[in-house]
Amino acid sequence: MTRTPSSFEDISAMADEVAILMASRFGGAKRGERPPLDQMMRRRGGALPAGLRRRARRLADAGRMAAQPKVARQLPLDGLARDHAALVAHLRPLGEISRWQGRAIGFAASVVLGLLVLGGVALWIMIQRGML
């Protein structure tokens, strides 16, 4: 969502998008869980640079206030849109594909290590029994 928010109702969508990007890049959420941005800031907010951490904190506070329409109408939408754009630009470059590839490579490495250990144990047993 790179467009300027038209109303306070868009603020919670912006906060949710940043929370999802943080969870996918830094972790901190269980499978299937979609924690709000303020919870992600408590869990993994330290992984963000200081300037972006302040922007994320402002967006998290605005996302929490967006549930109260009278308060949410007073929020600066342009500033929040800039904060959202900066956070998305920082969190998105690695992309989901490279994170998926990293997980796949880690899984393959653990399988190969397991097979090597299993082969070593089988070889040791064969030597002990005199088959080799």
Side-chain angles (χ1 to χ4, degrees):
M1 173 192 265
T2 57
R3 63 180 175 83
T4 304
S6 59
S7 70
F8 67 90
E9 295 163 346
D10 296 338
I11 295 172
S12 60
M14 292 190 306
D16 289 341
E17 182 182 8
V18 171
I20 290 168
L21 287 172
M22 281 182 68
S24 67
R25 181 156 181 191
F26 302 134
K30 296 175 186 170
R31 180 173 291 174
E33 182 186 20
R34 293 191 128 176
L37 183 56
D38 57 344
Q39 190 173 14
M40 282 305 300
M41 285 300 296
R42 280 193 306 274
R43 290 180 182 176
R44 297 285 188 230
L48 288 171
L52 289 176
R53 198 175 310 136
R54 281 189 295 273
R55 288 175 177 241
R57 176 56 45 207
R58 279 195 301 257
L59 192 60
D61 292 341
R64 194 174 56 251
M65 287 185 227
Q68 303 167 356
K70 286 185 179 181
V71 175
R73 286 186 185 99
Q74 301 172 13
L75 296 173
L77 296 179
D78 292 336
L80 293 173
R82 284 191 300 273
D83 293 343
H84 173 262
L87 287 163
V88 167
H90 177 75
L91 293 171
R92 203 168 265 171
L94 283 181
E96 184 63 31
I97 293 173
S98 64
R99 285 188 287 275
W100 182 83
Q101 286 174 343
R103 286 189 292 253
I105 288 172
F107 177 73
S110 64
V111 167
V112 168
L113 179 65
L115 289 174
L116 281 172
V117 169
L118 182 66
V121 169
L123 186 65
W124 182 77
I125 289 173
M126 289 174 72
I127 290 173
Q128 290 297 319
R129 291 190 177 180
M131 295 180 176
L132 286 178

